[in-house]
Every structure is written in C-alpha cells, then in structure tokens.
Amino acid sequence: MHLSSAPLSTTAASDLSQHLPDSATIQAQVQLALAEDVGDGDLTAALLPAQQRSRAELVTREAATLAGCAWFEAVFRALDPGVELHWDAADGDRIAAGQRLCVLEGHSRALLTGERTAMNYLQTLSGTATRARRYADAVAGLPVVVLDTRKTLPGLRDQQKYAVRCGGCHNHRRGLFDAILIKENHILAAGSIRAALDAAKALGRDVPIEIEVESVAEMEAAITTGARCILLDNFPLAELRRAVAANAGRSTLEASGGVTLETIRPIAETGVDRISVGDVTKDVTAVDLSMRFVVI
C-alpha cells in the first residue's frame, strides 16, 4: 500500500472544515495532552532501537461516527514529523465495526508513545459525534435545529464542539464571551425581564441575546420587551405547544432541559425552532478502537 502525508480526506460533510480549529490551536492542544502522558520521556518506548520503524493499522470495533482525525494525526506528527498516514475514513463518516480507519508508518518509539494520547482524542471525539448523530437522526425530517451546550469535558470545548458538527448537530455559544444568555438568576438579580434585556442591549455588543423563561406568560413579557430568541426551560409538551401557538413566529423558540433520545422527537414535533441538549457532550461513551503494530 502506498502511504502519504497528504491532508485529511475531504469526503465528510462539506462544511466541517470551517468548524475545525486552526492548525496552531490543534498543535497547542496536542502539546498539553502529550505533556500529561510523556512528561520528560517515555521510559518504555526507550527500550526499542531509536531507528526501528513500524506500521500500524487503526480499526474500529464498533459502528460509530468518526471525529477527531486532525488531533489524532497531530499527536504523531509532534513526535515524528516524518510519520506517514493514509486515511480510509474521514470526520463525519459513519463507520462500521471491523472497518480499518487508517494506516500509519513511522518510528516505532513515536507510534508507541503517541498511541494512547491519539486514541484518547479519537475515541472521545468519535463518541461525541456518535451521540450527536443519534440525536440528529432522532429528529430527521423535522424543521428543528439540535444544539449542544457548554456541558463539555474540561479542556475539550473546541474539540467536542467540532465533534458535534461531525455528528450532524449544531453549536450553541462557545462560552460566556460570544453570546448573552439571560437565565433565571440574571433576571432575579436585574429585577425583571425588561431590566435584564435592557441591560443586555445597553452593552452594545454585537452578539446574540437570548433569554430563558419558565412560563408562557414570561415568554409574552420577553417578546413584548423585544426578545428575539427565547429559551423555554423545562416546559412540558403541552406548554411547548401553547408557547409555539402564542408566539406565532415572532421570536425564535428554543426548548431545553432534560432532553433525551426518547423525548427529543416529541419535543421537536411541538414546532419549536431549536432544541439544546447537554447530553450530547457530557454523557459520552468512548468508541472502541484498536491499533495493531507490525515491525518493518
């Protein structure tokens, strides 16, 4: 087989590349991850001859959606800039149990040192993408957008947000700096829905403004005050239907709170515009992957 160091495959969803962090960001994230594993050196890999080379195949043991190829690749390039990789699958692809995902060739020490760090990225991010794909599939055919939340694993915000896109869902705000989400405690501290919204507008920041409400009456108050995006917090299905009817398209409505794979389609069928789901990123099961080595 011919191996190359060509860029990652572009067979995945056409818009994924615009959600991938830049190369410098990925490299910095990988350096932090490698520091956890390698410290001042891999003592076990040092038992091997420095110039020994190996080939390895990466295989998935279960069906999943692939995500994280750039981080996987960056780990090995940080340890062996001359490593050769050939990908048989790309981010966003649905992969089948037993499928080969890529072939690597390089210095044995580098492949062994980087194996766990690289696999941690690919297993976790593919687990995120796989869960996101299940949610996207659950509402297939309905005009609703499924969003993630900030309930990500510490230190993996960029990576999981990208994986969510690989699974066919969408991103909510990245952090506290790129949108204003006025929640119950903000309203209580400000004194009222109007006061909170007026304060948000007074900041003069060109960012989305969304406000959380807990009843149809509060939704009406928010719309009257000029809210254009409203989060319906833990509304029962009947209340969601009432809210959608009362809203009559005046504002974007987002349902949130306790959403599961079993409840998301009935929620979507109420006619809300968006559904945010913390479960997509916080309850992730790593995909079972395996790397098989052959000395060459």
Side-chain angles (χ1 to χ4, degrees):
M1 175 184 294
H2 172 69
L3 299 178
S4 75
S5 56
L8 295 178
S9 167
T10 56
T11 59
S14 60
D15 71 334
L16 285 179
S17 61
Q18 63 186 292
H19 300 285
L20 186 68
D22 60 54
S23 177
T25 297
I26 292 173
Q27 290 173 27
Q29 291 166 343
V30 161
Q31 287 300 328
L32 288 173
L34 281 170
E36 290 181 329
D37 270 330
V38 181
D40 60 359
D42 181 347
L43 300 179
T44 312
L47 303 177
L48 303 177
Q51 297 309 310
Q52 179 176 304
R53 294 179 64 83
S54 294
R55 174 177 292 181
E57 289 190 353
L58 176 69
V59 176
T60 177
R61 292 191 174 117
E62 61 180 310
T65 294
L66 186 63
C69 294
W71 287 272
F72 181 91
E73 185 165 333
V75 167
F76 292 108
R77 295 208 182 283
L79 297 167
D80 179 2
V83 69
E84 298 179 352
L85 294 97
H86 172 80
W87 287 93
D88 297 318
D91 285 347
D93 286 354
R94 296 178 190 254
I95 53 178
Q99 181 178 340
R100 189 182 71 185
L101 304 180
C102 78
V103 179
L104 308 88
E105 187 175 312
H107 288 104
S108 301
R109 287 185 179 181
L111 294 184
L112 289 167
T113 297
E115 177 186 8
R116 176 42 51 204
T117 310
M119 295 272 279
N120 282 348
Y121 270 126
L122 205 63
Q123 290 180 302
T124 302
L125 299 187
S126 294
T128 303
T130 300
R131 198 154 189 83
R133 180 69 68 190
R134 292 184 183 126
Y135 275 97
D137 288 348
V139 298
L142 296 176
V144 68
V145 172
V146 180
L147 300 164
D148 58 20
T149 70
R150 290 191 298 123
K151 295 176 182 177
T152 54
L153 302 178
L156 291 178
R157 177 67 52 81
D158 285 345
Q159 297 95 318
Q160 284 197 286
K161 288 279 188 179
Y162 171 72
V164 164
R165 300 293 306 206
C166 292
C169 292
H170 296 260
N171 300 143
H172 211 296
R173 57 178 179 164
R174 184 185 178 279
L176 299 174
F177 53 86
D178 58 343
I180 296 172
L181 177 52
I182 304 168
K183 305 188 83 172
E184 177 187 11
N185 285 336
H186 299 106
I187 295 170
L188 290 171
S192 67
I193 287 174
R194 177 176 293 277
L197 280 169
D198 287 347
K201 295 171 186 176
L203 288 178
R205 298 291 298 273
D206 185 21
V207 297
I209 299 174
E210 183 173 14
I211 187 164
E212 177 185 281
V213 300
E214 297 184 339
S215 67
V216 174
E218 286 188 356
M219 182 194 77
E220 286 289 357
I223 293 173
T224 301
T225 310
R228 293 293 171 261
C229 189
I230 299 173
L231 188 151
L232 309 174
D233 182 39
N234 283 293
F235 276 41
L237 290 177
E239 285 299 287
L240 286 174
R241 287 189 283 269
R242 281 189 59 214
V244 170
N247 178 54
R250 291 175 291 171
S251 297
T252 298
L253 298 184
E254 175 184 328
S256 185
V259 181
T260 68
L261 282 168
E262 291 70 35
T263 63
I264 190 168
R265 191 168 185 92
I267 291 172
E269 289 171 342
T270 66
V272 294
D273 304 292
R274 317 190 321 181
I275 305 173
S276 51
V277 189
D279 179 64
V280 171
T281 52
K282 71 182 180 70
D283 294 328
V284 174
T285 300
V287 172
D288 190 3
L289 305 177
S290 173
M291 278 185 66
R292 303 166 183 169
F293 283 73
V294 178
V295 177
I296 57 176

